[in-house]
């Protein structure tokens, strides 16, 4: 089971501020994905805490966004 609280606690304050600035719909920058990976335990370990979002345009790759339970922890959003 995912330990969302541990991952959020593993983020630096400036990373949390940046995540809060971009909001729950993202998109996540490569730097933020790297920070989530690091907080989750290392390279690639954060996959699953961020997921593909909706494609805005057919010719662009799908953006990464935070998973709903990570948003709930960071933003107090409940689904």
């Amino acid at each position: 089971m995912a330990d969302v609280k541990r991952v959020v606690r593993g983020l630096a304050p400036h990373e949390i501020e940046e995540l809060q600035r971009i909001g729950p719909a993202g998109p996540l920058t490569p730097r933020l994905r790297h920070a989530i990976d690091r907080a989750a335990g290392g390279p690639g370990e954060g996959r699953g805490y961020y997921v593909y979002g909706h494609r805005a345009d057919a010719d662009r790759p799908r953006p990464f966004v935070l998973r709903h339970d990570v948003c709930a922890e960071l933003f107090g959003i409940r689904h």
Side-chain angles (χ1 to χ4, degrees):
M1 182 166 182
D3 189 351
V4 173
K5 289 182 186 296
R6 180 183 60 83
V7 170
V8 170
R9 283 192 311 264
L11 295 169
H14 71 276
E15 294 164 341
I16 292 173
E17 288 174 15
E18 189 171 351
L19 286 166
Q20 290 175 335
R21 243 189 336 270
I22 65 168
L28 297 176
T29 63
R31 186 176 70 239
L32 286 173
R33 290 194 317 267
H34 175 75
I36 294 167
D37 286 345
R38 185 196 73 248
E45 294 298 315
R47 286 186 218 134
Y49 292 100
Y50 50 85
V51 295
Y52 281 116
H54 295 288
R55 186 176 296 181
D57 191 347
D59 350 353
R60 295 186 184 182
R62 291 172 62 186
F64 285 102
V65 297
L66 294 171
R67 195 173 67 193
H68 68 89
D69 54 345
V70 180
C71 287
E73 185 66 27
L74 281 169
F75 304 106
I77 297 170
R78 301 288 175 209
H79 292 279

